[in-house]
């Protein structure tokens, strides 16, 4: 009986050591991964990586992680121009395969969300144009055009859609023309625009866009998503 108790105590101690070593290894791997997250033509002000699943060491031995959560803050394209800055990206990557020497990490599939603030939408719009929440799933776009030498300010309610896996489109539902020929076209030249969201991890694309009080909430989805390399 005494020998059994000793064996049990040893198993508990060894198990505790294994768990501690496993958690330390996870922490080190997460820190390393945060420095190596690769964005396609973009950069992020903040990167956080969380490796899920237990034990971690057996996953590493198999060169495959069950799930990795990534959070990117202040993501923007390095090309500059009028591409949209993204306030926050959160992605869950599943079945992540590690390459030789852990130099690459590719997820079989991924889902996530992105948030674009109205401040960043305004920055991406034409000069002198502001974008705000318009209620009922719309954005309010305000701009000033010059007609017959007279400045005319107009606010329109616009619908936000996505053209493809990386482009957001803002288009006014209706533009009051005040009976002046060409006014609608002039206003649309100011208020309607398309902008790319560049810099997402390769393979991750836009799937659905929703207008909320906080900004544009975008659902993301992808396959063969590259986390590093």
């Amino acid at each position: 009986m005494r020998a059994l108790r000793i064996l049990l105590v040893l198993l508990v101690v060894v198990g505790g050591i294994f768990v501690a070593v496993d958690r330390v290894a996870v922490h080190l791997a997460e820190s390393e991964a945060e420095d190596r997250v690769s964005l396609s033509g973009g950069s992020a002000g903040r990167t956080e990586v969380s490796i899920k699943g237990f034990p971690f060491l057996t996953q590493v031995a198999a060169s495959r992680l069950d799930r990795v959560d990534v959070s990117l803050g202040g993501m923007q394209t390095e090309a500059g121009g009028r591409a949209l800055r993204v306030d926050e990206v959160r992605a869950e990557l599943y079945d992540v395969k590690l390459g030789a020497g852990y130099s690459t990490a590719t997820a079989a599939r991924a889902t996530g969300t992105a948030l674009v603030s109205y401040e960043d939408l305004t920055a991406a719009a034409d000069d002198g144009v502001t974008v705000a929440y318009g209620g009922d799933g719309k954005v309010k776009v305000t701009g000033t055009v010059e007609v017959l030498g007279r400045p005319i300010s107009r606010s329109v309610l616009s619908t936000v859609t996505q053209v493809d896996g990386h482009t957001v489109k803002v288009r006014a539902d209706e533009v009051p023309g005040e009976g002046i020929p060409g006014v609608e076209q002039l206003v649309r030249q100011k208020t309607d625009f398309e902008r790319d969201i560049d810099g997402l991890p390769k393979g991750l694309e836009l799937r659905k866009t929703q207008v909320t009080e906080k900004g544009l909430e975008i659902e993301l989805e992808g396959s063969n998503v590259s986390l590093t390399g």
Side-chain angles (χ1 to χ4, degrees), residues 54-134:
F54 179 83
F56 166 70
L57 293 175
T58 58
Q59 295 182 71
V60 170
S63 295
R64 193 176 294 271
L65 305 177
D66 295 336
R67 173 179 162 183
V68 177
D69 290 356
V70 178
S71 175
L72 306 171
M75 193 199 75
Q76 57 189 357
T77 176
E78 293 176 346
R82 293 286 188 177
L84 276 177
R85 177 186 180 275
V86 182
D87 191 52
E88 184 178 50
V89 175
R90 293 184 180 276
E92 298 82 44
L93 298 93
Y94 300 91
D95 191 14
V96 181
K97 183 178 180 181
L98 304 176
Y102 312 120
S103 58
T104 62
T106 304
R109 65 183 182 90
T111 60
T113 58
L115 176 66
V116 178
S117 70
Y118 291 116
E119 180 181 358
D120 290 326
L121 270 176
T122 296
D126 201 357
D127 292 338
V129 173
T130 60
V131 185
Y133 181 58

Side-chain angles (χ1 to χ4, degrees), residues 108-190:
R109 65 183 182 90
T111 60
T113 58
L115 176 66
V116 178
S117 70
Y118 291 116
E119 180 181 358
D120 290 326
L121 270 176
T122 296
D126 201 357
D127 292 338
V129 173
T130 60
V131 185
Y133 181 58
D136 197 26
K138 306 288 183 179
V139 297
K140 183 175 74 172
V141 185
T142 303
T144 301
V145 297
E146 189 172 297
V147 179
L148 301 176
R150 181 168 63 95
I152 298 177
S153 179
R154 284 290 176 268
S155 293
V156 296
L157 290 178
S158 301
T159 298
V160 180
T161 57
Q162 53 206 58
V163 180
D164 49 35
H166 58 83
T167 304
V168 170
K169 179 179 181 179
V170 178
R171 180 174 172 80
D173 296 346
E174 183 179 351
V175 177
E178 286 192 344
I180 304 175
V183 168
E184 178 175 357
Q185 182 180 357
L186 285 173
V187 173
R188 285 195 180 276
Q189 287 176 355
K190 276 282 187 181

